[in-house]
Amino acid sequence: MQAIEPKSEAINRAFPGYHPLWVMQSQRMNVTPEHFLWLRKHLLNITQHQAAAYLRVSVATVSAWENGTESLPFMAFELLRLVYESTANRLSHAQWDGWFIGKDGGFVCPDVGSLSITPQDFGALQYTKAELETHRAENNRLRAAIAAQIAENNSLRELFVNQGMVDELENIRDRIGELFGQLNTAKIFQIKPSRKAA
């Protein structure tokens, strides 16, 4: 069975001069077993059992529609298509379970009742995400720079230790300390500068 074409006489008589969008949308695809199966399984993501329960028919009937052994009613196909196109279906995803539109028009989180997201918030999300990505990239760059500095510092410390530099520096420090001690106890004679002959 095929959906009525929008330019058919029946549509033109019923909707003279203007075809509402919902009428036009109903004409977009042929009503075939393959399209019904695709609509049920891939677009609505429901089982034959779920489709049968919703349409109030048996699972065997849904199976017969899909394998082509029984004529597929236009109304059954159209009903599932309208469900798919509806806002109610699009807001019924498990990840959005419990979310609702509040009195102020904001989208309210069920876990944090005070969180109400406005249409403007959703509109700004792309800019917020772009800013987040910029900060994330800068953070990663700084982390890499710090990691490089830490690696260089560790390498220098290993170099000093491996080459005995630390011991040598300690010896130099002790020797300087000894020299300062000798200066404090030694007699220091002031030598007057000699006069140059005139």
Side-chain angles (χ1 to χ4, degrees), residues 16-111:
Y18 170 71
H19 301 151
L21 182 60
W22 56 271
V23 172
M24 299 295 289
Q25 287 175 332
S26 74
Q27 314 303 310
R28 289 185 305 178
M29 66 171 65
N30 294 338
V31 180
T32 65
E34 294 78 19
H35 288 145
F36 184 87
L37 174 63
W38 178 263
L39 177 60
R40 174 191 65 77
K41 187 174 181 181
H42 298 289
L43 298 184
L44 285 173
N45 193 29
I46 59 175
T47 65
Q48 283 187 343
H49 182 80
Q50 290 168 327
Y54 176 68
L55 296 171
R56 300 185 184 185
V57 296
S58 69
V59 176
T61 298
V62 172
S63 180
W65 290 344
E66 291 182 352
N67 63 34
T69 58
E70 198 171 306
S71 179
L72 172 59
F74 174 80
M75 286 185 290
F77 176 86
E78 182 67 357
L79 185 55
L80 288 192
R81 189 195 67 78
L82 289 172
V83 168
Y84 172 69
E85 296 284 348
S86 72
T87 303
N89 170 64
R90 293 173 188 228
L91 291 178
S92 65
H93 193 281
Q95 290 187 8
W96 293 97
D97 190 30
W99 286 73
F100 63 94
I101 305 294
K103 292 180 182 178
D104 62 351
F107 204 36
V108 181
C109 173
D111 301 321

Side-chain angles (χ1 to χ4, degrees), residues 2 12 26 45 47 79 84 92 105 116 122 147 155 185 187 198:
Q2 185 171 342
N12 289 333
S26 74
N45 193 29
T47 65
L79 185 55
Y84 172 69
S92 65
S116 178
F122 278 115
S155 177
T185 58
K187 285 187 174 181

Side-chain angles (χ1 to χ4, degrees), residues 169-180:
L169 288 173
E170 287 178 351
N171 290 336
I172 292 171
R173 182 196 62 199
D174 294 342
R175 182 65 183 137
I176 290 173
E178 289 173 8
L179 290 173
F180 273 115

